[in-house]
Amino acid sequence: MSKINFSSGLLLFSFLFLVNSSSFSQNTDSVFISKIYKSALTQGNSYEDLRQLCKDVGARLSGSAEADMAVEWGFQKLKSYNFDTVYKQEIKVPHWERGTKESAWLKLQDGKLLKLNILALGGSIGTNGLIKAELLIVNSLEELKKMPKSKVNGKIVLINQRMEDNVIHSFQAYGGCFPIRKSGAVEGARLGAVAVLIRSLSLGENDFPHTGTMQYNDSVGKIAAGAISTNDADKIALLTKNNAKSEIWLEMDCRFYEDKISYNVIGEMWGKNRNEIITFGGHLDSWDAGEGAHDDGAGIAHSIEALRLLKSQNYKPKHTLRCVLFMNEENGNRGGETYATWTKARNEIQIAALESDRGGFSPRGFDIESENAEMIHKFEVLFEQMIPFGLSVFAKGHSGVDVGPLGDEYENITMFGFVPDSQRYFDFHHSANDVFENVNKRELELGCAAIASWLYLIDKYI
């Protein structure tokens, strides 16, 4: 039998100690995470919190009375959970209203009418009464850009560009079509169009039009912009396929008002290193159609409940865990921008940030936004502890609009985006179909547990 010298024995002992310590730590973490999941699924508050936000407050467009009430609701809700501190952060938000309900019709050459399901795009101007013009259909934004002005001038353009249904990740399909909503009115105005309509950014076939923010260019005249439902876009294409002339009659009453005072709402559990912050949250505002249940009521419920779950387990964080209910993600991101500059001015150390803004569906994992390969690898290893709880997605990607400005202020910050199953998300996104009833209670609770557990691991090991 060979002998082990003292130095070799010490090395072996140290290795075995580290292995055993790591195994013990992982077992301890697994037990703690299991308690989080059990609490979320059997004693959770997230579904009732979401019901209150959707039903007792309603849709919450920045600048509206409902947005004001959402701030008050969020403040009182965070206070009710007895976190270490709860406060409001003042911001200024844009105030746009769609006014009286939009109306639009397709008038065929034989005089027949088709009433259209339409929503003004967020930030659009109004039509100043009922307007009518010949319809021009294009199948993509690129097709419109290549057209001669003589063919577009004086017409109402329908950009009937479909979201690609042959891609696995629905947000990829959304990104491919987002420019038609953002820039359609500008490109139409360049060529003399009097208004632009777009096919709603949805993979579903239904009668719900989907709104969302759009932009103007100061060097180009402004024209009205709206979205029609996917079903209506298909009907129009079918009814006009023989190139017979048809008209769109359209009225929208949108208008802007002066910027308005609003607030981010913040709740904290203080850590041992109080000035080292882990920021997480969702956005309190929503579009004015529906109730903003998936976008982003679910993210608000996730974030509040994640902090509550950790507190309920008597967890003592190493860093300060800060839950932020951001205001004005949908049409300005004033909340995210103000928060980032505020933290920098306070000389805070922002350790990490996480956002939930992709709906309340079954959790799949997290995207990581970082340029630090060493840090990415560290979190990849850490994420392995989440796999037994049904999470499998962990890859470089997008964190979120609200936490994004932190990346401009803190060069080395690591940011995460919560990734739920997204296949049904664009059935509801920015439409009247985004209501509380379309959020599944268990799926929402599983998301809360996943976020609370990941925050726990980040706080413990970063």
Side-chain angles (χ1 to χ4, degrees), residues 56 198 269 275 324:
D56 297 342
I198 70 166
M269 280 175 59
N275 198 47
V324 184

Side-chain angles (χ1 to χ4, degrees), residues 136 148-157 188-189 191-194:
L136 171 67
K149 186 171 184 178
S150 59
K151 191 167 183 179
V152 181
N153 192 49
K155 297 178 181 177
I156 292 177
V157 177
L191 299 172
V194 297

Side-chain angles (χ1 to χ4, degrees), residues 26 29 33 37 354 363-368 375-395 416-419 450-451 453-455 457-458 461:
Q26 289 185 14
D29 293 336
I33 292 172
Y37 271 82
L354 183 153
R364 294 289 181 260
F366 299 91
D367 280 345
I368 180 170
M375 188 63 73
I376 291 173
H377 176 68
K378 179 178 181 178
F379 280 112
E380 284 175 341
V381 174
L382 195 60
F383 182 75
E384 292 176 4
Q385 297 196 57
M386 299 297 297
I387 294 174
F389 297 91
L391 276 67
S392 59
V393 175
F394 193 82
F416 301 92
F418 173 62
V419 179
I451 291 171
S453 301
W454 188 235
L455 288 170
L457 292 173
I458 294 172
Y461 291 105

Side-chain angles (χ1 to χ4, degrees), residues 163 169-175 181 200-204 206 208 210 361 422-431:
M163 284 179 65
H169 303 292
S170 61
F171 276 89
Q172 181 182 340
Y174 176 69
R181 196 182 75 203
S200 284
L201 304 190
S202 174
L203 289 164
N206 53 55
F208 292 101
H210 295 238
F361 305 100
S422 68
Q423 298 307 322
R424 293 179 292 131
Y425 182 69
F426 291 100
D427 291 348
F428 310 110
H429 182 247
H430 294 180
S431 79

Side-chain angles (χ1 to χ4, degrees), residues 39 43-53 73-86 266-269 280 300-314 323 325 448:
S39 180
Q43 299 174 315
N45 292 356
S46 60
Y47 199 61
E48 172 58 18
D49 287 351
L50 180 63
R51 186 203 66 77
Q52 292 174 12
L53 182 59
W73 173 88
F75 182 76
Q76 295 301 332
K77 180 60 61 177
L78 289 171
K79 292 278 284 185
S80 73
Y81 291 137
N82 296 313
F83 300 130
D84 290 324
T85 186
V86 176
I266 299 172
E268 295 176 353
M269 280 175 59
F280 61 98
I300 293 297
H302 282 153
S303 303
I304 296 174
E305 180 73 347
L307 195 62
R308 189 198 70 80
L309 286 168
L310 290 169
K311 180 179 174 62
S312 73
Q313 299 302 315
N314 297 313
C323 173
L325 314 184
C448 297

